[in-house]
Amino acid sequence: QVQLVESGGGLVQPGGSLRLSCAASGIIFSRNTMHWYRQVPGKQRELVASITGAGSTNYADSVKGRFTISRDNAKNTVYLQMNSLKPEDTAAYLCNAYDPFTTRQYWGQGTQVTVSS
């Protein structure tokens, strides 16, 4: 019923850019706070960026100034624009939705981003 589907990952050189998308269905998208997390094997999952239903954003210090999270409520989609990519940005990027009305949250399967020369 609820689906979060990420896309846009791939291989990019250091300094390059990538835009990730997360298309949501089965939720009242406009009231969900949306998050991007990233996961590296052997490391704890890291919150990269968040955007509330009202459009308030937060970023991890490691990506501040390089990444931008945005949402298009008409398309039920959240984006992560990633610029000036570094090898340490390499990870599986996962989309998360949190509904503050119900306290339910949902996860996508992730999309792989690899930054390498």
Side-chain angles (χ1 to χ4, degrees):
Q1 292 291 321
V2 176
Q3 287 192 346
L4 303 177
V5 181
E6 301 97 333
S7 61
L11 176 64
V12 65
Q13 292 186 340
S17 296
L18 219 53
R19 190 179 78 155
L20 307 183
S21 299
C22 172
S25 60
I27 63 172
I28 303 175
F29 181 81
S30 60
R31 77 184 191 199
N32 274 252
T33 297
M34 304 300 297
H35 308 87
W36 286 98
Y37 287 81
R38 63 188 181 189
Q39 179 73 60
V40 178
K43 296 183 64 178
Q44 190 172 356
R45 186 169 54 207
E46 176 187 22
L47 177 60
V48 175
S50 301
I51 184 166
T52 69
S56 179
T57 60
N58 284 286
Y59 299 92
D61 288 343
S62 58
V63 308
K64 200 167 296 181
R66 300 187 298 119
F67 290 11
T68 302
I69 189 171
S70 61
R71 66 193 297 156
D72 186 339
N73 288 344
K75 296 182 178 180
N76 285 5
T77 300
V78 63
Y79 305 94
L80 186 67
Q81 178 67 47
M82 306 186 296
N83 299 326
S84 302
L85 282 162
K86 305 174 180 180
E88 50 262 46
D89 295 319
T90 296
Y93 283 74
L94 297 92
C95 180
N96 169 276
Y98 174 73
D99 187 343
F101 282 57
T102 65
T103 74
R104 292 173 180 169
Q105 65 177 343
Y106 309 94
W107 291 91
Q109 292 297 314
T111 185
Q112 180 67 36
V113 172
T114 302
V115 185
S116 177
S117 299

